[in-house]
Amino acid sequence: MRTADQFSSAPTDYNVVVPDGWFQLSLDPEERDRGIIALAELTFRGQDNAPLLKKQFMEDLQRKAKDAYQVGGTELYLSTMAVGPVPLASSLLISVPGPDEWPETSDAEALAEHLADRSRADNGEIGVVDLAVAGKAVRQRRREVADPARQLGNTLPTTTLTYYVPIPTTTRWLLLNFSTPIDQLANQMVELFDTVAGTLHWK
C-alpha cells in the first residue's frame, strides 16, 4: 500500500473501510432507485403499518442522492446500525468537486486558511491532520441547526465532519463528508468518523 508521497502520477482510485452496517447507495442515476428501494425495505422491515414514513424516507433519499451526484458525489454510505431500538443515524458522502470550486493548490495548510476565511461565522473547527496512508488533510467539524423540512422531522442539531484530502500529484481534492443528527453522541460518532477517514488510501 503506497503512501501519498510515493505517487509520481495521479492515483486511479481510492478506498475506505466502513463499519459493518453502513449501506452503500450508488449515486449513478441508472442505479440509485434500486438502492433506495433496497434500503427502504431493509429500514422498514417488519413495519407494514408505516407506508407514509417509508414513502417520505425514499423521497428524502432520492433528493439527497440527486444533490450529492450534482456536486461530484461518487459514493454515499448510510448507517443502518442501532443500539437496541435506537438507530445510530449517520452518513458519509465521498465526492470530488469540480476543478473550479477550489483554489488551485495541493497544500493542506493553504486550503485550511482559505476555508477558515470562508467559515468564520459558523464556529467550525478547522485544522490540518496527518492520515496514516493518504497524507495531510484538512479536517473541519461543524454543528448546524436542524432543518426538519429536509431531515424527516429531525429537530436536533447536526454534526458534520469533513476531510479535504489532496489527490496526489494533482490540485484536485477528495472530500469525505460525515454527518450525524445524534447530538447526545456527537463526540463518539466523530471518533468513529475519524477512524473511517484514517483508513483512506490511494490505488
Side-chain angles (χ1 to χ4, degrees), residues 36-199:
I36 289 171
I37 292 170
L39 180 55
E41 292 296 331
L42 179 64
T43 302
F44 289 90
R45 185 170 49 198
Q47 301 180 45
D48 297 331
N49 60 343
L52 182 58
L53 279 178
K54 185 176 180 180
K55 180 182 177 182
Q56 291 175 333
F57 176 82
M58 293 174 67
E59 289 175 348
D60 183 59
L61 275 185
Q62 184 72 251
R63 183 174 61 250
K64 286 181 177 178
K66 286 181 179 179
D67 290 347
Y69 184 75
Q70 290 174 355
V71 296
T74 59
E75 296 182 89
L76 177 62
Y77 293 90
L78 298 163
S79 171
T80 63
M81 298 189 302
V83 176
V86 180
L88 295 179
S90 58
S91 64
L92 164 60
L93 170 63
I94 303 178
S95 60
V96 180
D100 298 331
E101 296 182 39
W102 300 100
E104 289 192 7
T105 180
S106 59
D107 184 80
E109 283 85 0
L111 184 63
E113 184 176 344
H114 171 77
L115 292 172
D117 288 341
R118 287 176 46 183
S119 308
R120 294 188 189 282
D122 71 1
N123 298 316
E125 304 169 12
I126 299 176
V128 176
V129 298
D130 280 305
L131 298 179
V133 179
K136 282 193 174 183
V138 180
R139 178 184 184 274
Q140 182 178 31
R141 177 176 175 174
R142 299 186 304 278
R143 186 170 180 265
E144 302 171 345
V145 176
D147 183 354
R150 296 185 64 253
Q151 299 174 319
L152 292 178
N154 173 54
T155 58
L156 298 175
T158 297
T159 296
T160 61
L161 182 73
T162 306
Y163 276 83
Y164 304 82
V165 189
I167 300 173
T169 77
T170 78
T171 56
R172 303 290 297 276
W173 295 77
L174 182 76
L175 271 61
L176 309 180
N177 192 63
F178 300 90
S179 178
T180 180
I182 311 176
D183 197 46
Q184 65 272 32
L185 294 177
N187 289 336
Q188 292 89 333
M189 296 302 291
V190 166
E191 288 181 9
L192 173 62
F193 299 160
D194 282 328
T195 299
V196 173
T199 70

Side-chain angles (χ1 to χ4, degrees), residues 1-51:
M1 188 180 300
R2 289 185 290 172
T3 58
D5 58 4
Q6 292 176 320
F7 282 83
S8 57
S9 59
T12 57
D13 204 353
Y14 65 87
N15 191 40
V16 292
V17 180
V18 301
D20 291 337
W22 280 24
F23 184 96
Q24 183 179 1
L25 179 64
S26 173
L27 297 178
D28 187 319
E30 296 183 0
E31 299 178 4
R32 65 181 173 223
D33 285 348
R34 287 193 296 273
I36 289 171
I37 292 170
L39 180 55
E41 292 296 331
L42 179 64
T43 302
F44 289 90
R45 185 170 49 198
Q47 301 180 45
D48 297 331
N49 60 343

